[in-house]
Amino acid sequence: MAKPSYGYYRTTIFLAMFVGYTLYYFNRKTFSFVMPSLMQEITLDKDDLGMITSSQSLAYAISKFISGVLSDQISARWLFSIGLFLVGGINVVFSWSSTVAVFAGLWFLNGLGQGLGWPPCGRVLRKWFEPSQFGTWWAILSCSMNLAGSLGPIIATVMAQSYSWRTTLCVSGMICVLLSFVCLLVIKNEPRDVGLPNVEAAAAKKGKAGLSSDECTLTEFLLSPYLWLLSCAYLVVFGVKTACTDWGQLFLIQDKGQSTLMGSSYMSALELGGLLGSLAAGYFSDKAVAKQGMRSHGNPRHFILICMMVGMFVSMYLFRVTVTPDSPKMWILGLGAAFGFSSYGPIALFGVIANESAPSNYCGTSHAIVALMANIGGFLSGLPFSTIAKHYDWGTAFWAAEITCLITTVAFIMMRNIRTKMGQVPKKAD
């Protein structure tokens, strides 16, 4: 019998990670998806809702940073599968609970489990796919989040209305638990685990001679202004995106007089737009790199990044100002898709730019830092954002997010030609 080839393992491993991470993301957002139904049974004010969502965001930021640093030392398939098992189990327990304190505690644990998902995916992709294919498959795998985000609100709303929000969380959690065992069996850390040559071997030999010239000390890396420009911009973009995905549905229902189904449909349109935005950002920015080449100051991907950040501001402004109880449904869905397109694109690009701009010995650390800052933005979009809405209204909270996005975009435009190569500055460049 012929031995399975790279194609067989790449297909099965990628499918396992894609389905697995789709469930990761769905079970990260289940509370947001069933929030309207849950609030009909249990009285929760805006501070309660903010505390629950912020507890998850905080835990996720901590967990993802730590697992990103440690993922090279731990079996990727075990790390991914254990996280999926924990996330599923916590959703099941959440469905049995009824108090704010327990909700917040369990959602904090959910965030810790969520952080174990993406770093192993990146490691496995790098081991199994050629460097020239890595970015493409990274973008496709990231679409699992958009798939879960687009179908999730509709599935959760229909299940919650047909059965209950508790049944929704319990069923999705059990599916997660079962799939974690499948992922443990199917995912392989690297080709050598199944007797195939390592695809990175040739690239490593080619780059070995010149590796040291691309390295720097930790201090030089951390003092790179571009690292912190990316980090701050990513914090704002991810925070604003999270605010819209977590609170956009309630904003439509409570302030704009829309139905629960319209709210969930808006969320689905946002995620579908995000899927297209991620793929478009990767494709067109790759075209820009191929045409212009990489350089020490400015990055060819900046133009696409800035255009999409402008799109975020415009779509948020129109969403806040133009939507009324009588607004056409297609207009609301179009605004959701536009925001998703223009927010998920930059999120995809920030990770790529952080990796390619860092010295070879700190690529992982670079991505971990900007991702940590992004998740801090996610945390700020929880309780602080809901507090503004409580003391004023949802419109004021979204206005604050708009202004923050606008200021960040203008600052990024002004600094777009900054030195983008992180680490030590060569004397000749001076």
Side-chain angles (χ1 to χ4, degrees):
M1 185 175 177
K3 188 176 183 179
S5 64
Y6 279 106
Y8 168 79
Y9 283 112
R10 283 170 173 165
T11 301
T12 54
I13 290 170
F14 185 83
L15 284 175
M17 291 194 301
F18 189 93
V19 176
Y21 205 76
T22 299
L23 287 173
Y24 257 109
Y25 191 82
F26 180 84
N27 283 273
R28 184 189 311 169
K29 293 295 183 180
T30 43
F31 176 74
S32 297
F33 293 159
V34 304
M35 197 183 290
S37 299
L38 185 149
M39 291 175 67
Q40 293 176 1
E41 177 185 331
I42 301 172
T43 302
L44 299 173
D45 64 22
K46 292 172 181 176
D47 280 346
D48 295 331
L49 298 175
M51 182 172 65
I52 295 168
T53 56
S54 288
S55 67
Q56 185 197 52
S57 299
L58 177 62
Y60 181 58
I62 297 170
S63 177
K64 189 175 181 181
F65 180 78
I66 294 174
S67 64
V69 175
L70 297 179
S71 61
D72 287 334
Q73 311 299 323
I74 302 173
S75 169
R77 71 188 186 99
W78 275 100
L79 197 62
F80 184 86
S81 302
I82 289 172
L84 194 58
F85 181 88
L86 291 174
V87 167
I90 290 164
N91 267 264
V92 172
V93 176
F94 192 98
S95 70
W96 303 338
S97 308
S98 299
T99 64
V100 174
V102 175
F103 284 162
L106 288 173
W107 229 227
F108 181 86
L109 295 176
N110 185 297
L112 292 179
Q114 290 287 340
L116 304 181
W118 190 257
C121 289
R123 181 183 174 189
V124 171
L125 285 177
R126 188 171 292 277
K127 292 291 185 180
W128 276 98
F129 292 94
E130 301 286 346
S132 59
Q133 302 172 322
F134 178 73
T136 300
W137 289 105
W138 177 290
I140 296 174
L141 184 59
S142 70
C143 290
S144 61
M145 292 181 280
N146 304 111
L147 179 64
S150 60
L151 297 180
I154 296 176
I155 293 173
T157 299
V158 171
M159 284 193 64
Q161 291 178 348
S162 302
Y163 301 96
S164 69
W165 67 268
R166 296 182 186 276
T167 302
T168 304
L169 267 74
C170 187
V171 171
S172 65
M174 289 302 299
I175 294 174
C176 254
V177 170
L178 293 175
L179 191 70
S180 67
F181 293 102
V182 176
C183 290
L184 186 62
L185 294 174
V186 173
I187 296 174
K188 308 297 179 184
N189 291 329
E190 57 186 34
R192 283 183 297 187
D193 290 350
V194 292
L196 294 172
N198 190 344
V199 297
E200 290 185 320
K205 289 179 181 177
K206 286 182 180 179
K208 190 173 181 180
L211 184 63
S212 61
S213 62
D214 188 40
E215 294 183 349
C216 71
T217 66
L218 180 61
T219 301
E220 290 170 339
F221 166 67
L222 292 177
L223 290 177
S224 301
Y226 190 57
L227 171 65
W228 301 108
L229 174 63
L230 284 179
S231 298
C232 292
Y234 198 8
L235 182 152
V236 172
V237 167
F238 192 82
V240 170
K241 190 278 296 184
T242 305
C244 286
T245 53
D246 282 354
W247 305 113
Q249 187 170 332
L250 280 184
F251 181 45
L252 275 175
I253 296 170
Q254 295 183 355
D255 277 31
K256 299 299 184 178
Q258 298 293 330
S259 66
T260 301
L261 182 59
M262 187 67 245
S264 62
S265 299
Y266 168 83
M267 298 300 298
S268 296
L270 189 154
E271 295 293 345
L272 283 174
L275 187 151
L276 296 176
S278 297
L279 295 176
Y283 176 80
F284 288 112
S285 67
D286 279 347
K287 288 288 187 181
V289 170
K291 183 178 180 180
Q292 302 175 31
M294 298 300 295
R295 48 184 184 263
S296 61
H297 291 72
N299 188 302
R301 302 184 196 274
H302 280 175
F303 178 75
I304 302 296
L305 182 62
I306 290 170
C307 286
M308 288 188 158
M309 290 172 70
V310 171
M312 284 183 66
F313 168 75
V314 173
S315 57
M316 280 192 71
Y317 173 78
L318 292 175
F319 176 65
R320 180 178 61 86
V321 173
T322 66
V323 174
T324 66
D326 300 321
S327 294
K329 293 181 179 180
M330 291 306 299
W331 173 247
I332 298 174
L333 296 179
L335 289 176
F339 180 81
F341 184 92
S342 55
S343 60
Y344 275 93
I347 288 171
L349 289 179
F350 279 121
V352 173
I353 294 173
N355 272 281
E356 68 186 7
S357 301
S360 58
N361 57 329
Y362 287 114
C363 285
T365 305
S366 176
H367 186 268
I369 290 174
V370 297
L372 176 64
M373 294 292 283
N375 286 298
I376 292 174
F379 170 75
L380 294 175
S381 71
L383 184 59
F385 191 84
S386 63
T387 300
I388 296 175
K390 178 181 179 181
H391 291 288
Y392 298 94
D393 54 38
W394 286 116
T396 303
F398 277 86
W399 174 83
E402 285 172 33
I403 297 302
T404 305
C405 182
L406 177 62
I407 293 172
T408 303
T409 303
V410 171
F412 202 94
I413 291 172
M414 295 175 65
M415 302 181 71
R416 67 188 183 280
N417 290 321
I418 191 175
R419 175 177 168 81
T420 54
K421 188 63 179 175
M422 302 175 193
Q424 184 178 13
V425 179
K427 294 182 179 179
K428 290 183 179 179
D430 292 337

Coordinates of all heavy atoms in Angstrom, one line a residue, residues 230-305:
L230 N 2.9 49.8 15.0 CA 2.0 48.7 14.6 C 1.2 48.3 15.8 O 0.0 48.0 15.7 CB 2.9 47.5 14.1 CG 3.5 47.5 12.7 CD1 4.3 46.3 12.5 CD2 2.4 47.7 11.7
S231 N 1.8 48.2 17.0 CA 1.1 47.7 18.2 C -0.1 48.6 18.5 O -1.2 48.1 18.8 CB 2.1 47.5 19.3 OG 3.1 46.6 19.1
C232 N 0.2 49.9 18.6 CA -0.8 50.9 18.9 C -2.0 50.9 17.9 O -3.1 51.0 18.3 CB -0.2 52.3 19.1 SG 0.9 52.4 20.5
A233 N -1.6 50.9 16.6 CA -2.6 50.9 15.6 C -3.5 49.6 15.6 O -4.7 49.6 15.5 CB -2.0 51.0 14.2
Y234 N -2.8 48.5 15.9 CA -3.5 47.2 16.0 C -4.4 47.2 17.2 O -5.6 46.7 17.2 CB -2.5 46.0 16.1 CG -3.0 44.7 15.8 CD1 -4.3 44.5 15.3 CD2 -2.3 43.5 15.9 CE1 -4.8 43.2 15.0 CE2 -2.7 42.3 15.6 CZ -4.0 42.1 15.2 OH -4.5 40.9 14.9
L235 N -4.0 47.8 18.3 CA -4.8 47.9 19.5 C -6.1 48.6 19.2 O -7.2 48.1 19.6 CB -4.1 48.7 20.6 CG -4.8 48.8 22.0 CD1 -3.7 48.9 23.1 CD2 -5.6 50.1 22.0
V236 N -6.1 49.7 18.5 CA -7.3 50.5 18.2 C -8.2 49.7 17.2 O -9.4 49.6 17.4 CB -6.9 51.9 17.6 CG1 -8.1 52.6 17.1 CG2 -6.2 52.7 18.7
V237 N -7.6 49.2 16.1 CA -8.3 48.6 15.1 C -9.1 47.3 15.6 O -10.3 47.1 15.4 CB -7.4 48.1 13.9 CG1 -8.2 47.2 13.0 CG2 -7.0 49.4 13.1
F238 N -8.3 46.5 16.4 CA -8.9 45.3 17.0 C -10.0 45.7 18.0 O -11.0 45.0 18.2 CB -7.9 44.4 17.6 CG -8.4 43.0 17.9 CD1 -8.5 42.1 17.0 CD2 -8.8 42.7 19.2 CE1 -8.9 40.8 17.3 CE2 -9.2 41.5 19.5 CZ -9.3 40.5 18.5
G239 N -9.7 46.7 18.8 CA -10.6 47.2 19.8 C -11.9 47.7 19.2 O -13.0 47.3 19.7
V240 N -11.8 48.5 18.2 CA -13.0 49.0 17.5 C -13.8 47.9 16.8 O -15.0 47.8 16.9 CB -12.6 50.1 16.5 CG1 -13.8 50.4 15.6 CG2 -12.1 51.3 17.2
K241 N -13.1 46.9 16.2 CA -13.7 45.8 15.6 C -14.5 45.0 16.6 O -15.6 44.6 16.4 CB -12.7 44.9 14.8 CG -13.3 43.8 13.9 CD -13.7 42.6 14.6 CE -12.5 41.8 15.3 NZ -13.0 40.5 15.9
T242 N -13.8 44.7 17.7 CA -14.5 43.9 18.8 C -15.7 44.6 19.4 O -16.7 44.0 19.7 CB -13.5 43.6 19.9 OG1 -12.3 43.0 19.3 CG2 -14.1 42.7 20.9
A243 N -15.6 45.9 19.5 CA -16.8 46.7 20.0 C -18.0 46.5 19.1 O -19.1 46.3 19.6 CB -16.4 48.2 20.2
C244 N -17.7 46.6 17.8 CA -18.8 46.4 16.9 C -19.4 45.0 16.8 O -20.6 44.8 16.7 CB -18.4 46.9 15.5 SG -18.2 48.6 15.3
T245 N -18.5 44.0 16.9 CA -19.0 42.6 16.9 C -19.7 42.3 18.2 O -20.7 41.5 18.2 CB -17.9 41.6 16.6 OG1 -16.8 41.9 17.5 CG2 -17.3 41.8 15.2
D246 N -19.2 42.8 19.3 CA -19.8 42.5 20.6 C -21.1 43.3 20.9 O -22.0 42.8 21.6 CB -18.8 42.7 21.8 CG -17.8 41.6 21.8 OD1 -17.9 40.6 21.1 OD2 -16.8 41.7 22.6
W247 N -21.1 44.6 20.5 CA -22.2 45.4 20.9 C -23.1 45.9 19.8 O -24.1 46.6 20.0 CB -21.6 46.7 21.6 CG -20.7 46.3 22.8 CD1 -19.4 46.5 22.9 CD2 -21.1 45.7 24.0 NE1 -18.9 46.0 24.1 CE2 -20.0 45.5 24.8 CE3 -22.3 45.3 24.5 CZ2 -20.0 45.0 26.1 CZ3 -22.4 44.7 25.8 CH2 -21.2 44.6 26.6
G248 N -22.6 45.7 18.5 CA -23.4 46.2 17.4 C -24.8 45.7 17.4 O -25.8 46.4 17.0
Q249 N -25.0 44.4 17.8 CA -26.3 43.8 17.8 C -27.2 44.5 18.8 O -28.4 44.8 18.4 CB -26.1 42.3 18.1 CG -27.4 41.5 18.0 CD -27.2 40.0 18.1 OE1 -26.1 39.5 17.8 NE2 -28.1 39.3 18.6
L250 N -26.7 44.7 20.0 CA -27.6 45.4 21.0 C -27.8 46.9 20.6 O -28.9 47.4 20.8 CB -26.8 45.4 22.4 CG -26.9 44.1 23.2 CD1 -26.3 44.3 24.5 CD2 -28.4 43.7 23.4
F251 N -26.9 47.5 20.0 CA -27.0 48.9 19.5 C -28.2 49.0 18.5 O -29.1 49.9 18.6 CB -25.7 49.4 18.9 CG -25.8 50.8 18.3 CD1 -26.3 51.8 19.1 CD2 -25.3 51.1 17.1 CE1 -26.4 53.1 18.6 CE2 -25.3 52.4 16.6 CZ -25.8 53.4 17.4
L252 N -28.2 48.0 17.6 CA -29.3 48.0 16.6 C -30.7 47.7 17.2 O -31.7 48.4 16.9 CB -29.1 46.9 15.5 CG -28.2 47.2 14.4 CD1 -27.9 46.0 13.5 CD2 -28.8 48.3 13.5
I253 N -30.7 46.8 18.2 CA -32.0 46.4 18.8 C -32.5 47.5 19.8 O -33.6 47.9 19.8 CB -31.8 45.1 19.6 CG1 -31.5 44.0 18.5 CG2 -33.1 44.8 20.4 CD1 -31.1 42.7 19.2
Q254 N -31.6 48.0 20.7 CA -32.0 48.9 21.8 C -32.1 50.4 21.3 O -33.0 51.1 21.8 CB -31.0 48.8 22.9 CG -31.0 47.4 23.6 CD -30.1 47.4 24.8 OE1 -29.4 48.3 25.1 NE2 -30.1 46.2 25.6
D255 N -31.2 50.8 20.5 CA -31.2 52.2 20.1 C -31.8 52.5 18.7 O -32.3 53.6 18.5 CB -29.7 52.8 20.1 CG -29.3 53.2 21.5 OD1 -29.7 52.6 22.4 OD2 -28.4 54.1 21.6
K256 N -31.7 51.5 17.8 CA -32.2 51.7 16.5 C -33.5 51.1 16.2 O -34.0 51.2 15.1 CB -31.1 51.2 15.5 CG -29.8 52.0 15.6 CD -29.9 53.5 15.3 CE -28.5 54.2 15.3 NZ -28.7 55.6 15.0
G257 N -34.1 50.4 17.2 CA -35.4 49.8 17.0 C -35.5 48.7 16.0 O -36.6 48.4 15.5
Q258 N -34.4 48.0 15.8 CA -34.4 46.8 14.9 C -34.7 45.5 15.6 O -34.6 45.4 16.8 CB -33.1 46.7 14.2 CG -32.7 47.9 13.3 CD -33.6 48.1 12.1 OE1 -34.1 47.1 11.6 NE2 -33.8 49.3 11.7
S259 N -35.1 44.5 14.9 CA -35.5 43.2 15.5 C -34.3 42.4 15.8 O -33.1 42.7 15.4 CB -36.3 42.4 14.5 OG -35.6 42.0 13.4
T260 N -34.5 41.4 16.7 CA -33.4 40.5 17.0 C -32.8 39.8 15.8 O -31.6 39.7 15.7 CB -33.9 39.4 18.0 OG1 -34.4 40.1 19.2 CG2 -32.7 38.5 18.4
L261 N -33.7 39.4 14.9 CA -33.2 38.7 13.6 C -32.4 39.7 12.8 O -31.4 39.3 12.2 CB -34.4 38.2 12.8 CG -34.1 37.5 11.6 CD1 -33.2 36.2 11.9 CD2 -35.3 37.0 10.8
M262 N -32.8 41.0 12.7 CA -32.0 42.0 12.0 C -30.6 42.2 12.6 O -29.6 42.3 11.9 CB -32.8 43.3 12.0 CG -32.1 44.4 11.1 SD -32.2 43.9 9.3 CE -30.5 43.7 8.9
G263 N -30.6 42.1 14.0 CA -29.3 42.3 14.6 C -28.4 41.1 14.3 O -27.2 41.3 14.0
S264 N -28.9 39.9 14.3 CA -28.0 38.8 14.0 C -27.7 38.7 12.6 O -26.5 38.3 12.2 CB -28.8 37.5 14.4 OG -29.9 37.3 13.7
S265 N -28.6 39.2 11.7 CA -28.2 39.3 10.3 C -27.1 40.3 10.0 O -26.3 40.1 9.1 CB -29.5 39.6 9.5 OG -30.5 38.7 9.6
Y266 N -27.2 41.4 10.7 CA -26.1 42.4 10.6 C -24.8 41.8 11.0 O -23.8 42.0 10.3 CB -26.4 43.6 11.5 CG -25.3 44.6 11.7 CD1 -25.0 45.5 10.7 CD2 -24.4 44.5 12.8 CE1 -24.0 46.4 10.8 CE2 -23.4 45.4 12.9 CZ -23.1 46.3 11.9 OH -22.1 47.2 12.1
M267 N -24.7 41.0 12.0 CA -23.5 40.4 12.5 C -23.0 39.4 11.4 O -21.8 39.3 11.2 CB -23.7 39.7 13.8 CG -24.1 40.6 15.0 SD -22.9 41.8 15.3 CE -21.5 40.8 15.7
S268 N -23.9 38.7 10.8 CA -23.5 37.7 9.8 C -23.0 38.5 8.6 O -21.9 38.0 8.0 CB -24.7 36.9 9.4 OG -25.2 36.1 10.4
A269 N -23.6 39.6 8.2 CA -23.1 40.4 7.0 C -21.7 40.9 7.3 O -20.8 40.9 6.5 CB -24.1 41.5 6.7
L270 N -21.5 41.3 8.6 CA -20.2 41.9 9.0 C -19.1 40.8 8.8 O -18.0 41.1 8.3 CB -20.3 42.3 10.4 CG -19.1 43.1 11.0 CD1 -19.6 44.0 12.2 CD2 -18.0 42.2 11.6
E271 N -19.4 39.6 9.3 CA -18.4 38.5 9.2 C -18.2 38.1 7.8 O -17.0 37.7 7.4 CB -18.8 37.3 10.1 CG -18.9 37.6 11.6 CD -17.5 37.9 12.2 OE1 -16.5 37.6 11.5 OE2 -17.5 38.5 13.3
L272 N -19.2 38.0 6.9 CA -19.0 37.7 5.5 C -18.1 38.7 4.8 O -17.3 38.4 4.0 CB -20.4 37.6 4.8 CG -21.1 36.3 5.1 CD1 -22.5 36.4 4.5 CD2 -20.4 35.1 4.6
G273 N -18.4 40.0 5.1 CA -17.5 41.1 4.6 C -16.1 40.9 5.1 O -15.2 41.2 4.3
G274 N -16.0 40.5 6.4 CA -14.6 40.3 6.9 C -13.9 39.2 6.2 O -12.7 39.3 6.0
L275 N -14.6 38.1 5.8 CA -13.9 37.0 5.1 C -13.3 37.6 3.8 O -12.2 37.3 3.5 CB -15.0 35.9 4.8 CG -14.5 34.6 4.2 CD1 -15.4 33.5 4.7 CD2 -14.5 34.7 2.7
L276 N -14.2 38.3 3.0 CA -13.7 38.9 1.8 C -12.6 39.9 2.0 O -11.6 39.9 1.2 CB -14.8 39.5 1.0 CG -16.0 38.6 0.6 CD1 -17.1 39.4 0.0 CD2 -15.5 37.5 -0.4
G277 N -12.7 40.7 3.1 CA -11.7 41.7 3.4 C -10.3 41.0 3.7 O -9.3 41.5 3.2
S278 N -10.3 39.9 4.4 CA -9.0 39.3 4.8 C -8.3 38.8 3.5 O -7.1 38.9 3.4 CB -9.3 38.1 5.7 OG -9.8 38.5 7.0
L279 N -9.1 38.1 2.7 CA -8.5 37.6 1.4 C -8.1 38.7 0.5 O -7.0 38.6 -0.1 CB -9.6 36.7 0.7 CG -10.0 35.4 1.5 CD1 -11.1 34.7 0.7 CD2 -8.8 34.5 1.7
A280 N -8.9 39.7 0.4 CA -8.5 40.8 -0.5 C -7.2 41.6 0.0 O -6.4 41.9 -0.8 CB -9.7 41.8 -0.6
A281 N -7.2 41.8 1.3 CA -6.0 42.4 1.9 C -4.7 41.6 1.6 O -3.7 42.2 1.2 CB -6.2 42.6 3.4
G282 N -4.8 40.3 1.8 CA -3.6 39.5 1.6 C -3.2 39.5 0.1 O -2.1 39.6 -0.3
Y283 N -4.2 39.3 -0.8 CA -3.9 39.2 -2.2 C -3.4 40.5 -2.8 O -2.3 40.5 -3.4 CB -5.2 38.8 -2.9 CG -5.1 38.8 -4.4 CD1 -4.5 37.7 -5.1 CD2 -5.5 39.8 -5.2 CE1 -4.3 37.6 -6.4 CE2 -5.3 39.8 -6.6 CZ -4.8 38.7 -7.2 OH -4.6 38.6 -8.6
F284 N -4.1 41.6 -2.5 CA -3.6 42.9 -3.1 C -2.3 43.4 -2.5 O -1.5 44.1 -3.2 CB -4.8 43.9 -3.0 CG -5.9 43.6 -4.0 CD1 -7.1 43.3 -3.5 CD2 -5.7 43.7 -5.3 CE1 -8.2 43.0 -4.3 CE2 -6.8 43.5 -6.2 CZ -8.0 43.1 -5.7
S285 N -2.1 43.2 -1.2 CA -0.9 43.6 -0.6 C 0.3 42.8 -1.1 O 1.4 43.3 -1.3 CB -1.0 43.6 0.9 OG -1.1 42.3 1.4
D286 N 0.1 41.5 -1.4 CA 1.1 40.7 -2.0 C 1.4 41.2 -3.4 O 2.6 41.2 -3.8 CB 0.6 39.2 -2.1 CG 0.8 38.5 -0.8 OD1 1.5 39.0 0.1 OD2 0.3 37.4 -0.6
K287 N 0.4 41.6 -4.1 CA 0.7 42.2 -5.4 C 1.5 43.5 -5.3 O 2.4 43.7 -6.1 CB -0.6 42.5 -6.1 CG -1.4 41.4 -6.6 CD -0.8 40.7 -7.8 CE -1.7 39.6 -8.4 NZ -1.1 39.0 -9.6
A288 N 1.3 44.3 -4.3 CA 2.0 45.5 -4.1 C 3.5 45.2 -3.7 O 4.4 45.8 -4.2 CB 1.4 46.3 -3.0
V289 N 3.7 44.2 -2.9 CA 5.0 43.8 -2.6 C 5.8 43.2 -3.8 O 7.0 43.6 -4.0 CB 5.0 42.7 -1.4 CG1 6.4 42.1 -1.2 CG2 4.5 43.3 -0.1
A290 N 5.1 42.4 -4.6 CA 5.8 41.9 -5.8 C 6.1 43.0 -6.8 O 7.2 43.0 -7.5 CB 4.8 40.9 -6.5
K291 N 5.3 44.1 -6.8 CA 5.6 45.2 -7.8 C 6.6 46.1 -7.3 O 7.5 46.6 -8.0 CB 4.2 45.9 -8.0 CG 4.4 47.0 -9.0 CD 3.0 47.7 -9.3 CE 3.1 48.8 -10.3 NZ 1.8 49.5 -10.5
Q292 N 6.5 46.5 -6.0 CA 7.4 47.5 -5.4 C 8.7 46.9 -4.7 O 9.7 47.6 -4.6 CB 6.7 48.4 -4.4 CG 5.4 49.1 -5.1 CD 4.6 49.8 -4.0 OE1 5.2 50.4 -3.1 NE2 3.3 49.9 -4.2
G293 N 8.5 45.7 -4.2 CA 9.6 45.1 -3.4 C 9.7 45.7 -2.0 O 9.1 46.7 -1.7
M294 N 10.3 44.9 -1.1 CA 10.4 45.4 0.3 C 11.5 46.4 0.4 O 12.6 46.3 -0.3 CB 10.7 44.2 1.2 CG 9.6 43.2 1.2 SD 8.0 43.8 1.7 CE 8.3 44.2 3.4
R295 N 11.4 47.4 1.3 CA 12.4 48.4 1.5 C 12.5 48.7 2.9 O 11.6 48.3 3.7 CB 12.0 49.7 0.7 CG 10.6 50.1 0.8 CD 10.3 51.3 -0.1 NE 9.0 51.8 0.1 CZ 7.9 51.5 -0.6 NH1 8.1 50.7 -1.6 NH2 6.7 52.1 -0.4
S296 N 13.5 49.5 3.3 CA 13.8 49.7 4.7 C 12.8 50.7 5.3 O 12.5 50.7 6.5 CB 15.2 50.2 5.0 OG 15.4 51.4 4.3
H297 N 12.3 51.7 4.5 CA 11.4 52.7 5.0 C 10.1 52.6 4.2 O 10.1 52.6 3.0 CB 12.0 54.1 4.8 CG 13.2 54.4 5.7 ND1 14.4 53.8 5.6 CD2 13.3 55.1 6.9 CE1 15.2 54.2 6.5 NE2 14.5 55.0 7.3
G298 N 9.0 52.5 5.0 CA 7.7 52.3 4.3 C 7.5 50.9 3.9 O 8.5 50.2 3.7
N299 N 6.3 50.5 3.9 CA 6.0 49.1 3.5 C 4.9 49.1 2.4 O 3.9 49.9 2.5 CB 5.4 48.3 4.7 CG 5.3 46.8 4.5 OD1 4.5 46.4 3.5 ND2 5.9 46.0 5.3
P300 N 5.1 48.4 1.3 CA 4.1 48.4 0.2 C 2.7 48.0 0.6 O 1.7 48.4 0.0 CB 4.7 47.3 -0.8 CG 6.1 47.2 -0.4 CD 6.2 47.5 1.0
R301 N 2.6 47.4 1.8 CA 1.2 47.0 2.3 C 0.5 48.2 2.9 O -0.7 48.1 3.2 CB 1.4 45.8 3.3 CG 2.0 44.6 2.7 CD 2.0 43.5 3.7 NE 2.9 42.4 3.4 CZ 2.7 41.4 2.6 NH1 1.5 41.3 2.0 NH2 3.6 40.5 2.4
H302 N 1.2 49.2 3.2 CA 0.7 50.4 3.9 C -0.5 51.0 3.2 O -1.5 51.4 3.8 CB 1.7 51.4 4.2 CG 2.6 51.1 5.3 ND1 3.7 51.9 5.7 CD2 2.6 50.1 6.2 CE1 4.3 51.4 6.7 NE2 3.6 50.3 7.1
F303 N -0.5 51.1 1.9 CA -1.6 51.7 1.1 C -2.9 51.0 1.3 O -3.9 51.6 1.6 CB -1.2 51.8 -0.4 CG -2.3 52.4 -1.2 CD1 -2.5 53.8 -1.2 CD2 -3.1 51.6 -2.0 CE1 -3.5 54.4 -1.9 CE2 -4.1 52.2 -2.8 CZ -4.3 53.6 -2.7
I304 N -2.9 49.6 1.2 CA -4.1 48.9 1.4 C -4.5 49.0 2.9 O -5.7 49.1 3.1 CB -3.8 47.4 1.1 CG1 -3.3 47.2 -0.4 CG2 -5.0 46.5 1.3 CD1 -4.3 47.6 -1.4
L305 N -3.6 49.0 3.8 CA -3.9 49.1 5.2 C -4.6 50.4 5.5 O -5.6 50.4 6.2 CB -2.6 48.9 6.0 CG -2.7 49.0 7.6 CD1 -3.5 47.8 8.1 CD2 -1.3 48.9 8.2

